[in-house]
Amino acid sequence: MDWVSILPPLIAILVVFWRKEVIIALILALISSELLLALQNNNSLLIGGFFGSIERIVTVVTSAGNSRILMFSVLIGALLAYIRESGGVAATVNMLLNRGVAKSKRQVGLLTMFTGTAVFIESNMSVLTSGIVARGLFDKFKMSRARLAYIIDSTSAPVCILILLNGWGAYVLGLLSNYELEQSAVSILWGSVAFNFYAIIALLIVFYTIVFDKVHGPMKAAEAELKQQATALEAGPAATKSRYMLVPLATLIISMIGFMVWTGDGVLANGSGSKSVLYATILASVVAYILLLSGKRFSHHELMDVGFKGMGELLPLVSIVLLSLTLGASLKDLGTGTFVASLVGDYLPIYLIVPVLFITGAIMSFTTGTSWGTFAILIPIGVPLIQALGLPPALVVGAILSGGIFGDHCSPISDTSAVSALASGCDLLTHVKTQLPYALLGGALAIVCFFIASVVMI
């Protein structure tokens, strides 16, 4: 009966695309997962289903790492509101236009991609920084927020997993260090970069859409719909000084690096992403508050109202992040990821093992909404295959990491998707729908690459 463990994520995905309602989809998936766990443990369905779901949420919230993510997701609303209401966004847009940094759609897209690439320390920080920088510019050039969400989402995780001098690299290195192989864990990890085909292809597709100003599928429809709307941009306050945006943003980036080093005991890659992003967001919000208060444009009470209003605007997305984390925890106990991983059969032709590992990782991360959870399950499966069959270690690890990134990209129940929508000011479902064709194309090309690499190297 292990196959039933795949039902909850399927319910979530089907309801999302049928009813176009993410929160209800996540709640139904969570309750169904808890009902299956109750049946599995011979518990009361009422207690295990309804009350079990409530207790699961409580358990998730009591996790320090999850609490930090939720606090960050709420507090970033205050920071965004301060930057927006200060007029700093409009001033920064005007400054970039006057200095010729962003004179065209292509330059705006490249600036957004560069910003997301430069902030490779943490994926949420990458999407947040590039989203804040680019929102006003995308509005100015009448580019859809869905396009912005796609660019920042498709830049963040691929860059983090390719550069590896961050928490992502430290995490995977820790998983690989549990095994004795002919090569060191470090050399295998760095060698996997060249074989992380999905991450590389995802970045190339983003680059193509920017340089040639080409969008396809639902994204093209979103762009056309935007052009048919009124040409007036979102009103907002008049431009004041660019420092009201740039100083808090610089504080966010610099303090993030500092907190990563601090929480990692002097080693950047060992730092805590959840701690650093929360501390940096709080500090940047305080700096924005002080700037506005000292500028005498707002009183303390007005700033409190602006901050809480900004936090309130993000509550629906924060609820989605919470339910995504909760569903992921429930699916872990249900064994969904382990069942999907077991689909890698013992009787596959040897040159199909690597492509199937990628496909398995993609399905697993898509249905569970977690790339790190996918790594944790598939690396213990892939490494013994390396040892038993003599498979190229870097190729196998590259396939596993690629599969995890795929789902992290396009899953409607991924917290990264939610944060990307949050940072760009785009509806979550619209973001998932417009990004999916690009992700599927990248996934298909990655399968071909892994197949060719397997034929050549094995």
Side-chain angles (χ1 to χ4, degrees):
M1 294 293 288
D2 289 342
W3 63 270
V4 299
S5 65
I6 204 72
L7 291 179
L10 288 179
I11 289 172
I13 294 165
L14 289 173
V15 172
V16 161
F17 290 108
W18 174 44
R19 300 297 299 175
K20 296 179 172 54
E21 175 53 65
V22 179
I23 291 179
I24 293 298
L26 289 170
I27 291 174
L28 290 175
L30 174 61
I31 292 175
S32 64
S33 179
E34 290 298 320
L35 282 171
L36 290 172
L37 283 170
L39 286 171
Q40 195 176 81
N41 299 322
N42 297 318
N43 293 333
S44 165
L45 292 183
L46 178 62
I47 295 175
F50 180 73
F51 293 112
S53 300
I54 296 173
E55 289 303 315
R56 179 73 64 178
I57 294 173
V58 172
T59 302
V60 164
V61 173
T62 55
S63 162
N66 292 337
S67 295
R68 295 187 195 106
I69 292 173
L70 294 170
M71 289 175 65
F72 148 74
S73 299
V74 173
L75 291 172
I76 200 64
L79 177 60
L80 292 173
Y82 286 150
I83 291 174
R84 180 184 67 224
E85 295 300 320
S86 69
V89 175
T92 302
V93 168
N94 290 336
M95 180 195 71
L96 292 173
L97 292 172
N98 293 334
R99 295 190 177 185
V101 178
K103 295 188 295 184
S104 65
K105 288 184 177 182
R106 181 182 299 171
Q107 288 185 344
V108 170
L110 290 173
L111 175 65
T112 305
M113 189 176 182
F114 172 77
T115 305
T117 303
V119 189
F120 61 85
I121 298 171
E122 208 273 335
S123 56
N124 284 336
M125 183 58 66
S126 174
V127 297
L128 178 64
T129 305
S130 50
I132 292 174
V133 168
R135 284 169 77 156
L137 291 170
F138 269 64
D139 289 346
K140 182 73 175 179
F141 285 91
K142 298 180 177 63
M143 299 161 71
S144 69
R145 292 292 181 88
R147 189 172 183 176
L148 173 57
Y150 161 66
I151 292 174
I152 63 178
D153 196 0
S154 298
T155 302
S156 60
V159 164
C160 287
I161 203 64
L162 289 174
I163 295 181
L164 291 171
L165 297 174
N166 48 37
W168 291 66
Y171 176 70
V172 178
L173 186 62
L175 294 174
L176 291 173
S177 298
N178 294 323
Y179 302 92
E180 292 185 7
L181 294 165
E182 293 182 4
Q183 294 177 255
S184 68
V186 173
S187 64
I188 293 173
L189 183 59
W190 281 109
S192 72
V193 171
F195 297 107
N196 203 327
F197 294 127
Y198 179 78
I200 295 170
I201 291 169
L203 289 173
L204 290 176
I205 294 176
V206 171
F207 188 73
Y208 157 79
T209 64
I210 292 172
V211 171
F212 295 98
D213 190 24
K214 295 289 186 181
V215 290
H216 307 278
M219 187 78 74
K220 187 174 183 178
E223 294 276 305
E225 182 181 348
L226 179 67
K227 291 176 182 177
Q228 290 172 0
Q229 294 172 355
T231 55
L233 297 177
E234 188 178 322
T240 52
K241 299 291 184 181
S242 60
R243 67 170 176 266
Y244 289 121
M245 173 178 171
L246 296 181
V247 173
L249 189 60
T251 302
L252 192 71
I253 298 170
I254 295 171
S255 64
M256 176 71 185
I257 297 172
F259 286 129
M260 285 289 287
V261 174
W262 178 54
T263 57
D265 294 326
V267 181
L268 180 70
N270 293 339
S272 168
S274 64
K275 288 182 180 179
S276 301
V277 73
L278 175 60
Y279 300 162
T281 301
I282 293 174
L283 183 59
S285 299
V286 171
V287 168
Y289 168 85
I290 292 173
L291 277 174
L292 292 174
L293 190 64
S294 61
K296 298 181 179 179
R297 295 191 65 239
F298 296 88
S299 68
H300 165 73
H301 292 294
E302 288 173 333
L303 287 173
M304 288 294 100
D305 289 340
V306 168
F308 280 110
K309 181 181 178 182
M311 288 188 279
E313 291 171 352
L314 295 187
L315 282 180
L317 274 173
V318 175
S319 299
I320 291 172
V321 173
L322 171 60
L323 290 169
S324 296
L325 294 170
T326 306
L327 179 59
S330 183
L331 293 177
K332 181 179 179 181
D333 285 353
L334 189 60
T336 301
T338 304
F339 168 71
V340 175
S342 69
L343 299 178
V344 182
D346 296 330
Y347 304 102
L348 283 172
I350 192 167
Y351 54 82
L352 289 181
I353 290 177
V354 171
V356 170
L357 278 173
F358 167 75
I359 294 170
T360 304
I363 295 172
M364 185 187 306
S365 57
F366 185 84
T367 54
T368 60
T370 170
S371 55
W372 285 30
T374 299
F375 302 156
I377 293 172
L378 276 189
I379 285 179
I381 292 174
V383 172
L385 292 175
I386 295 171
Q387 296 169 324
L389 302 175
L391 300 176
L395 179 61
V396 171
V397 173
I400 292 171
L401 299 185
S402 280
I405 293 298
F406 174 87
D408 197 61
H409 248 184
C410 54
S411 174
I413 59 175
S414 165
D415 61 306
T416 307
S417 297
V419 174
S420 297
L422 179 155
S424 61
C426 174
D427 174 70
L428 174 60
L429 185 57
T430 300
H431 168 46
V432 172
K433 181 176 66 175
T434 52
Q435 179 168 268
L436 192 56
Y438 298 94
L440 290 174
L441 173 62
L445 293 174
I447 292 172
V448 174
C449 291
F450 283 120
F451 177 77
I452 295 173
S454 296
V455 171
V456 171
M457 298 180 65
I458 297 176

